[in-house]
Amino acid sequence: MRAEERKTDSGCNWIRQSLIALLAGLFVPVLLCGCGEEVPVSSERVETEGAIVPGEEFDAERLTRGDVELSAAKLEDYASSAALYYEDSTEKLEYSVVMPQVPASDDAYLYLFHTACYEDGELSGEPVAFQAKRRNWKIRFAYREDYLFDLFVPALLLDGEYVPVGNGVYLLNPEALAENQDAYPDVGSKKGLLLDPTMLKTPELTDLGVKHAIYNIPLSHIMGETTNEFLPTIEYEYEGTTYLFNGAAINGYDELFVYLNERGMSTTAVVLNDWNEEHMELIHPEAREKDSKAYYYMFNAADAEGVKTMEAVASFLAGRYDGGEHGIVHSWVIANEINQNKIWNYLDTADVDYYAQEFERGMRIFYQAIKSEYANARVYFSIDHDWNSNKMASTKYFNARDLVRAFNDAALLHGNYDWGIAIHPYPQPMTRVNYWSQHYDKTPDAEIVSIMNLGVLTDFLGQEEYLDTKGEVRSITITELGFSSKSGEKLQAAAFAYCYYITEANPYIDAFIMNRQTDAPEEVKQGLAFGIYEYDHSEKYIKDVFRYIDTDQAEEHTEFMLNILEAESLEEALSWAQ
């Protein structure tokens, strides 16, 4: 049930009347003992395990008076260190928050509300739990499925109205809900490839020894009805609404992921929000410009309909590909090159903080859904190589550095989580193949982040405020990077081999997924013949280099590389990229 369905005019009055009765006669200190009791806060009885803390003195007058008087405006961010965790042993949630002092309010209690992400802390309906105020406040209550995507906001009753005391926080360990607790697979190599669907189930794929495979899921392809009687429309129920998924399209992904899993590949899916006339609610209200010429659009986490549909889509995909009969997706990339906000994730704004906030809300929805199904899945957003190249002379895109900073700020506001970055560190220009011959700025102000100066990104993410929930540098993966054969097939092969060895030596990079298995005609016209195979499936020189680079035959297939690089040894060549 969404927040707009929870509104009631009588809830607040009912709770106040209950509290008045509870507090009657308690204007002197009383020592209370006993177990946590059930406290009615809605039409159901919600166990809050101690509206009055057992064994503590409860002085209603003192708690009401508090230690400090603050206005509603000053209370907005008064509390800090909010956390919300699911306890598997009890199937309950534990919320905690810290206040510098106990604020004065209408009564002796602190309340906890849950709200939708788009409500921006606006409180409505009834609290899910309440308990006597204290500086270090902790409360436990039963978990409900509709809590997965919501923000939990502490509040005080002030002048007859509930006012927030701090920022809302999401459930911080959705992975505890997952049935699939299997470890992320160790496939023994970082070698990956954007697959050619026409080569599936052929030796042209299996002979390559691919360990990481990537595939796109444009939402318009999977949503809606199908006329295939053998692969009928899939009806998916979510919060009382039936969503329709194309049975034929979904069956294709089912077969793909099962096939890749059976061959020991780690799979990555890229979720893309393309134009979809039937589901305009998925596109942000400020991004519904078909004439923008954008390929993909900002997800809509700005209103109730968009959020509910996004939750349904995320829950459907996460649940279907969690390791059951339909296969498994180990890594998910949400959107494409989001710093390119005019073409790859359209939202026409020059405000990077606003843009990041709107994207982070949608990213969090997918993260919560995915981790609640497969605990060790990895969830990324994508950036390109334009780290700091836009000197504000253009409004065509955001610097990736600014975008990552703004995204992290938005995420930390509501609780840190383990998002990762999928980067496309192409040379500049993308047609350049001998990328090692360029000079690279390795300072935080570098304009471009390529394979030769990835340390710019890893050093940036190594700052304390950017670390993941375990205090480590976040997961980084290269989900798109290729080198054209237009300047020579042997040069292309050397460029790939050198790039692979750089990523293999970098402990922060999960995978190097090459773009692509087969030349794409539209790219070839731009001088970008990235494929291992030509468009007619003819092999290039790179084929055997790719096949053997992560085997014991690697040296004999890559020894030519050092001559092209003009390096005395692989160690020397690797030092150039450090």
Side-chain angles (χ1 to χ4, degrees):
M1 183 181 295
R2 303 307 314 152
E4 68 272 17
E5 298 171 331
R6 298 193 294 261
K7 292 179 180 177
T8 173
D9 294 330
S10 60
C12 294
N13 290 333
W14 184 87
I15 290 177
R16 287 193 209 107
Q17 292 167 6
S18 298
L19 289 176
I20 290 170
L22 176 66
L23 297 175
L26 291 182
F27 294 112
V28 293
V30 178
L31 187 64
L32 298 175
C33 301
C35 300
E37 60 181 294
E38 292 185 346
V39 179
V41 294
S42 66
S43 58
E44 299 177 355
R45 294 172 68 81
V46 178
E47 184 178 357
T48 62
E49 298 211 352
I52 300 171
V53 179
E56 289 194 357
E57 287 189 353
F58 182 82
D59 186 338
E61 184 178 17
R62 181 182 62 79
L63 289 175
T64 300
R65 186 172 63 250
D67 302 320
V68 61
E69 289 192 14
L70 299 170
S71 65
K74 290 186 177 180
L75 282 170
E76 283 183 1
D77 57 359
Y78 189 66
S80 63
S81 303
L84 180 68
Y85 292 98
Y86 176 77
E87 298 176 332
D88 185 58
S89 59
T90 62
E91 297 184 349
K92 291 182 179 179
L93 296 176
E94 181 175 282
Y95 174 89
S96 60
V97 73
V98 177
M99 296 184 291
Q101 298 182 80
V102 175
S105 63
D106 291 3
D107 59 25
Y109 290 88
L110 187 64
Y111 299 86
L112 188 64
F113 285 80
H114 68 123
T115 72
C117 64
Y118 55 84
E119 292 183 304
D120 293 321
E122 181 181 340
L123 306 180
S124 60
E126 301 173 1
V128 298
F130 63 90
Q131 185 170 280
K133 290 185 287 187
R134 59 190 306 186
R135 287 186 59 251
N136 294 285
W137 196 74
K138 184 179 293 184
I139 198 163
R140 298 167 74 235
F141 54 99
Y143 173 75
R144 289 183 357 200
E145 288 186 3
D146 62 325
Y147 290 166
L148 177 61
F149 301 106
D150 278 356
L151 282 164
F152 284 76
V153 184
L156 290 172
L157 190 61
L158 196 65
D159 297 329
E161 299 291 336
Y162 288 112
V163 298
V165 183
N167 295 315
V169 65
Y170 292 96
L171 174 63
L172 298 180
N173 65 332
E175 63 274 9
L177 299 167
E179 184 174 338
N180 185 351
Q181 295 286 330
D182 291 347
Y184 190 87
D186 181 1
V187 293
S189 168
K190 297 183 180 183
K191 183 176 73 177
L193 189 63
L194 174 62
L195 303 182
D196 179 345
T198 68
M199 289 185 171
L200 293 174
K201 302 182 181 181
T202 72
E204 292 165 308
L205 172 59
T206 53
D207 285 354
L208 293 174
V210 176
K211 299 299 193 301
H212 299 267
I214 193 168
Y215 226 79
N216 294 334
I217 304 180
L219 294 188
S220 70
H221 292 197
I222 65 169
M223 299 188 72
E225 298 183 72
T226 176
T227 57
N228 189 325
E229 61 180 306
F230 300 105
L231 299 169
T233 301
I234 298 171
E235 296 185 353
Y236 181 73
E237 296 289 332
Y238 182 77
E239 291 196 351
T241 300
T242 300
Y243 294 87
L244 304 180
F245 291 89
N246 187 306
I250 294 299
N251 181 72
Y253 285 108
D254 294 349
E255 289 189 358
L256 170 68
F257 295 135
V258 168
Y259 172 78
L260 299 177
N261 301 159
E262 288 177 346
R263 277 146 190 82
M265 298 185 204
S266 175
T267 57
T268 299
V270 184
V271 182
L272 299 169
N273 194 28
D274 56 339
W275 190 265
N276 186 348
E277 294 283 356
E278 301 302 316
H279 287 283
M280 290 301 296
E281 76 274 12
L282 280 170
I283 297 177
H284 195 284
E286 298 171 25
R288 295 171 187 166
E289 298 181 30
K290 193 173 184 179
D291 295 336
S292 66
K293 298 182 180 180
Y295 291 100
Y296 307 112
Y297 298 80
M298 174 72 81
F299 281 106
N300 178 22
D303 59 43
E305 187 180 15
V307 165
K308 185 175 177 181
T309 304
M310 202 187 317
E311 289 175 1
V313 171
S315 297
F316 173 79
L317 290 173
R320 194 168 186 91
Y321 302 120
D322 65 349
E325 61 179 314
H326 305 298
I328 188 169
V329 172
H330 301 99
S331 297
W332 296 84
V333 180
I334 310 306
N336 181 58
E337 296 186 354
I338 66 169
N339 58 303
Q340 297 289 343
N341 66 304
K342 294 297 180 66
I343 185 168
W344 292 116
N345 193 59
Y346 183 75
L347 185 67
D348 189 10
T349 178
D351 186 341
V352 69
D353 294 308
Y354 173 70
Y355 178 86
Q357 169 194 287
E358 296 303 290
F359 178 78
E360 192 276 331
R361 288 172 173 173
M363 174 76 175
R364 181 92 68 157
I365 288 172
F366 277 99
Y367 182 91
Q368 299 292 91
I370 290 163
K371 298 289 280 188
S372 70
E373 296 288 350
Y374 172 30
N376 291 300
R378 295 176 182 173
V379 189
Y380 306 87
F381 65 83
S382 165
I383 60 174
D384 73 352
H385 66 181
D386 280 311
W387 182 248
N388 195 37
S389 60
N390 187 350
K391 303 303 182 182
M392 304 311 295
S394 168
T395 59
K396 291 183 179 180
Y397 65 94
F398 293 121
N399 287 323
R401 182 180 70 174
D402 297 336
L403 189 282
V404 173
R405 187 270 309 159
F407 179 94
N408 188 58
D409 289 347
L412 290 178
L413 191 64
H414 301 300
N416 194 14
Y417 59 107
D418 292 333
W419 52 269
I421 290 182
I423 188 170
H424 302 165
Y426 283 101
Q428 179 75 350
M430 291 173 64
T431 51
R432 189 177 190 103
V433 183
N434 62 336
Y435 52 87
W436 52 88
S437 63
Q438 287 181 299
H439 169 74
Y440 290 90
D441 184 350
K442 297 182 181 180
T443 73
D445 295 325
E447 292 191 1
I448 300 295
V449 168
S450 80
I451 195 66
M452 295 297 289
N453 62 342
L454 275 176
V456 172
L457 175 61
T458 56
D459 289 349
F460 185 85
L461 293 179
Q463 298 175 90
E464 184 176 358
E465 63 268 33
Y466 290 93
L467 299 178
D468 67 13
T469 60
K470 301 178 186 65
E472 299 173 354
V473 174
R474 295 181 180 278
S475 181
I476 304 169
T477 186
I478 298 172
T479 50
E480 184 183 319
L481 177 58
F483 309 104
S484 179
S485 60
K486 283 287 188 177
S487 299
E489 291 189 10
K490 210 165 186 179
L491 182 62
Q492 178 198 30
F496 160 75
Y498 182 37
C499 183
Y500 179 81
Y501 285 129
I502 290 172
T503 56
E504 186 181 49
N506 191 321
Y508 299 114
I509 306 301
D510 297 337
F512 163 30
I513 301 178
M514 179 180 164
N515 181 25
R516 59 183 61 239
Q517 188 173 1
T518 305
D519 284 346
E522 64 275 13
E523 292 179 346
V524 172
K525 292 177 183 177
Q526 302 173 52
L528 302 173
F530 288 143
I532 292 174
Y533 298 92
E534 295 183 16
Y535 186 64
D536 64 0
H537 291 190
S538 300
E539 295 180 5
K540 298 184 187 179
Y541 188 88
I542 193 176
K543 192 257 186 175
D544 281 348
V545 177
F546 185 96
R547 170 67 183 88
Y548 293 106
I549 198 164
D550 57 348
T551 73
D552 57 6
Q553 300 178 54
E555 187 174 355
E556 63 183 273
H557 288 279
T558 61
E559 57 185 357
F560 74 96
M561 177 191 73
L562 294 179
N563 288 332
I564 292 177
L565 297 180
E566 297 182 355
E568 292 295 325
S569 66
L570 178 59
E571 290 72 23
E572 179 191 350
L574 291 177
S575 70
W576 302 341
Q578 291 174 354

